[in-house]
Each structure stands twice: as structure tokens, then as C-alpha cells.
Amino acid sequence: MKIIMLGAPGAGKGTQAKMIAEKYAIPHISTGDIFRANIKEGTKLGEEAKQYMDQGLLVPDELTVKILLDRVAKEDCRNGYVLDGFPRTIPQAEVLDQALNGLGDKIDYAIDVNVPDENIIKRMSGRRACLSCGATYHVEHIPPQKEGICDTCGEKLVLRDDDKPETVQNRLHVYHEQTQPLIDFYTQKGILKAVDGTKDMEAVFHSIVSILE
Ligand code: ADP
Ligand code: ADP
Ligand code: ZN
């Protein structure tokens, strides 16, 4: 099963993608996590990506597409995967489509986690991220067991540089301009499924599972 998660920054794509990945035993692939891991390791890719990410802008398609295609070509992706944060532009979606087409394959579902902009800013300021394993928490809604520490790996949690309110505004703008058109793109392909992302984490997951089953 190949799944794409769509939705504004902070809609809960990552949270849901992790749960889907676990339930269906497929990899969770987040381009944002891949970039952050590279920034942490100080690679050239990380250095380049950071310049865009810090401003709330998208990393250029050429760079992003190459990373994603390399990742989905790996052995663990044979039975499917859940993509979180890719594609974010029509050209990215087209390249993915063509690559899969060439393999006689396709995306099964594009799930739009729908959350209005008003809710997003609040969610983002409370988000805490583990840069080691990619887990995310929320100080009120989804707190870790021990404050400031990742349940999964024990690393310290951080407020991401790009989760400050000014940058979140930019990212929402970029989302509406460049990513939202994907909703029409996948509607036309007949695979778009929308869920109400304002409900609590378990309720959203329940809606997604009913779509997949
Ligand atoms: P969020 O969880 O808030 O949706 P992500 O972790 O997915 O954020 O992405 C963080 C940043 O990484 C984005 O704002 C963007 O700069 C960059 N990025 C991630 N995925 C992509 C992509 N597919 N195309 C371009 N830039 C990307
Ligand atoms: P995205 O990957 O779309 O940027 P995340 O999954 O990182 O979004 O979620 C953004 C923030 O909102 C995080 O702090 C997360 O813990 C929290 N969150 C996720 N899902 C919900 C939900 N259903 N209700 C309330 N908060 C949520
Ligand atoms: Zn962790």
C-alpha cells in the first residue's frame, strides 16, 4: 500500500503517518525528517536545505525529488510506504507519478488531513520535536511521559527553528500557493480522501483506518 499524506504544516501528517506505518508495517518517509537529519549531521545537503527551511520556503524540487526517489527505491519500500511531506508541489507529484508509472505502479491513497489555518498556529507553538527519531509531541495535546524528553529514544525535545509564529505564517502561505493544488491533482486521479484533522489523534486515525480498509 502506497499512501501520501497531504495537509498544512502542523495538520498532523507526521503523527498519523507514524501510526499508519506501525499498523501496516510499512516505512514512514518524511522529507522534512531527512532534511533535519542532514542538518544535524552537518552534510552539504543539510546546509543547502536549511537556507530554505529557516525562511519557511520549500527546498527546490530538483534536490527534494532526487532524495525521495532514492529513498523509495530501497528494499524496505517494496510492500509500500507512507509519504509525509512529499509531494509538496505539482512538479514533485508529476515526477513521482512518472517514476511509479515506469514500474507499473501507482499511489493508492492521498489522505488530506484537513485543519483550518486558525488552529495551525496554536498547534505549532506547542509542537516539540525529537530531531533524533522524528517523533513529535504537543505540550498540551500529546505530551511526552517525561517533560522535554522523547518517549521513544530518550533524546531532548526541541521547538523547531521553523515553528516560530513568523515562519509558520510563511509556511502557511507557501502551503496555500504551492501544495494545496495537489488536492485537485489527486481528486482528478480519484484517490483523494479527506479526513477532519481537528479531532483528537485517535479519532483522526480511526477515520484513516476506515478509508484504508
Ligand atoms: P511540517 O511537518 O510542518 O509539514 P516538514 O517537516 O514536512 O514540515 O518540512 C519542513 C520543511 O522542510 C519545509 O518547510 C520545507 O522547507 C522542507 N521540505 C520538506 N519536504 C519538502 C518537499 N517535499 N519539498 C520542498 N521542501 C520540503
Ligand atoms: P505535520 O506533520 O502535519 O506538520 P505533526 O504531526 O507534527 O504535523 O503535528 C503538529 C503538532 O500538532 C504536533 O505538536 C502534534 O503533537 C500535534 N497534533 C497532531 N495531531 C493532533 C491532533 N489530532 N490534535 C491535537 N494536536 C495534534
Ligand atoms: Zn526520539
Side-chain angles (χ1 to χ4, degrees):
M1 190 154 52
K2 298 188 174 65
I3 303 168
I4 288 172
M5 303 302 290
L6 295 175
K13 301 181 296 296
T15 302
Q16 296 299 327
K18 275 203 161 21
M19 295 164 86
I20 296 169
E22 197 169 317
K23 180 168 167 87
Y24 297 98
I26 49 177
H28 163 214
I29 300 174
S30 155
T31 37
D33 283 352
I34 296 173
F35 290 138
R36 280 185 291 277
N38 275 274
I39 293 173
K40 199 167 175 231
E41 285 158 28
T43 69
K44 200 162 158 273
L45 167 68
E47 202 176 298
E48 196 164 346
K50 188 171 166 42
Q51 297 171 20
Y52 298 94
M53 291 168 75
D54 281 352
Q55 299 178 66
L57 299 174
L58 295 183
V59 177
D61 285 341
E62 308 84 70
L63 210 62
T64 311
V65 159
K66 184 176 179 310
I67 286 157
L68 192 277
L69 292 183
D70 284 351
R71 178 64 189 89
V72 297
K74 293 203 170 143
E75 178 65 24
D76 66 336
C77 289
R78 271 222 310 216
N79 293 326
Y81 41 77
V82 49
L83 300 185
D84 159 21
F86 187 99
R88 261 183 157 94
T89 64
I90 296 279
Q92 289 181 12
E94 281 170 343
V95 172
L96 177 63
D97 224 41
Q98 281 154 18
L100 287 173
N101 242 324
L103 302 167
D105 206 349
K106 62 177 176 42
I107 296 292
D108 299 295
Y109 299 101
I111 298 175
D112 176 35
V113 184
N114 199 323
V115 175
D117 288 8
E118 306 86 81
N119 304 30
I120 294 289
I121 308 263
K122 240 195 266 165
R123 276 205 190 171
M124 301 299 249
S125 57
R127 170 154 70 181
R128 294 296 178 274
C130 174
L131 298 183
S132 217
C133 76
T136 57
Y137 302 85
H138 191 281
V139 289
E140 279 171 46
H141 308 303
I142 307 171
Q145 278 159 20
K146 206 169 150 214
E147 196 186 323
I149 303 291
C150 178
D151 291 350
T152 314
C153 72
E155 284 278 320
K156 261 176 90 171
L157 300 177
V158 299
L159 174 67
R160 270 166 46 182
D161 285 342
D162 59 346
D163 278 352
K164 286 175 284 179
E166 318 84 84
T167 319
V168 171
Q169 283 294 358
N170 282 346
R171 288 161 66 201
L172 276 174
H173 181 74
V174 166
Y175 168 74
H176 290 299
E177 292 272 305
Q178 302 194 56
T179 307
Q180 213 169 12
L182 292 176
I183 293 182
D184 281 345
F185 182 92
Y186 288 113
T187 301
Q188 276 163 28
K189 294 197 178 292
I191 60 167
L192 188 93
K193 307 282 173 185
V195 296
D196 179 357
T198 62
K199 301 218 177 98
D200 68 43
M201 177 175 91
E202 297 297 340
V204 178
F205 188 56
H206 186 82
S207 317
I208 293 176
V209 170
S210 4
I211 290 164
L212 303 181
E213 279 170 3

